[in-house]
C-alpha cells in the first residue's frame, strides 16, 4: 500500500525544472514538464551518481549534467544505448498539490 505524502505544490517546481526534497530514502527530485506533468526520481543518475535535479528537462526526459545521459522521467530508465535506472516514485496531483508515494 502506498503512503502518499504531500511534498510540494506545482508552483514550487519551476517549469522545465526540478525541486529536491529530502526524505529518509534519500534526496528525491521532482521534475515539471512543459505540460505541467510532475515526476519523481531518486536524485542520482544510474551512471555515475550525478544529481539529476541539476540536469535539463526536455519532453519527458532529463539530461544528467555529468555525462549527458538521458533518463526517462516516467520510469527512470536510461535511454538506449545507455543502460541503467534511477528509482522512480509514484506521483499524484490534487489541484496544485503534489503528492508522492513513499514505501
Amino acid at each position: 500500500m502506498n503512503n502518499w505524502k504531500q511534498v510540494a505544490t506545482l508552483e514550487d517546481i519551476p517549469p522545465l525544472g526540478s525541486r529536491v526534497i529530502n526524505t529518509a530514502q534519500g534526496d528525491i527530485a521532482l521534475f515539471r514538464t512543459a505540460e505541467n506533468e510532475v515526476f519523481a526520481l531518486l536524485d542520482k543518475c544510474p551512471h555515475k551518481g550525478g544529481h539529476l535535479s541539476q540536469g535539463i528537462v526536455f519532453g519527458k526526459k532529463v539530461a544528467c549534467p555529468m555525462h549527458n545521459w538521458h533518463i526517462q522521467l516516467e520510469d527512470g530508465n536510461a535511454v538506449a544505448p545507455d543502460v541503467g535506472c534511477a528509482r522512480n516514485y509514484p506521483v499524484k496531483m490534487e489541484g496544485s498539490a503534489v503528492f508522492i508515494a513513499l514505501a
Side-chain angles (χ1 to χ4, degrees):
M1 178 173 226
N2 289 332
N3 182 19
W4 292 101
K5 179 178 178 182
Q6 182 177 353
V7 293
T9 64
L10 185 62
E11 295 77 24
D12 293 332
I13 309 165
L16 296 176
S18 67
R19 176 179 178 202
V20 177
I21 57 169
N22 304 102
T23 73
Q25 298 178 14
D27 288 345
I28 297 174
L30 303 174
F31 297 95
R32 179 177 172 184
T33 68
E35 291 78 27
N36 292 323
E37 293 177 282
V38 177
F39 298 94
L41 298 176
L42 188 64
D43 192 22
K44 187 175 180 180
C45 179
H47 176 224
K48 296 275 187 175
H51 295 284
L52 294 174
S53 61
Q54 296 174 10
I56 297 171
V57 175
F58 62 102
K60 291 186 183 182
K61 299 178 186 81
V62 62
C64 178
M66 287 183 71
H67 299 103
N68 202 35
W69 274 35
H70 295 175
I71 308 298
Q72 298 178 91
L73 295 175
E74 293 175 304
D75 59 14
N77 285 313
V79 175
D82 299 321
V83 177
C85 186
R87 180 172 181 191
N88 69 322
Y89 296 85
V91 174
K92 72 176 180 178
M93 301 279 298
E94 291 181 5
S96 68
V98 177
F99 294 80
I100 64 170
L102 298 172

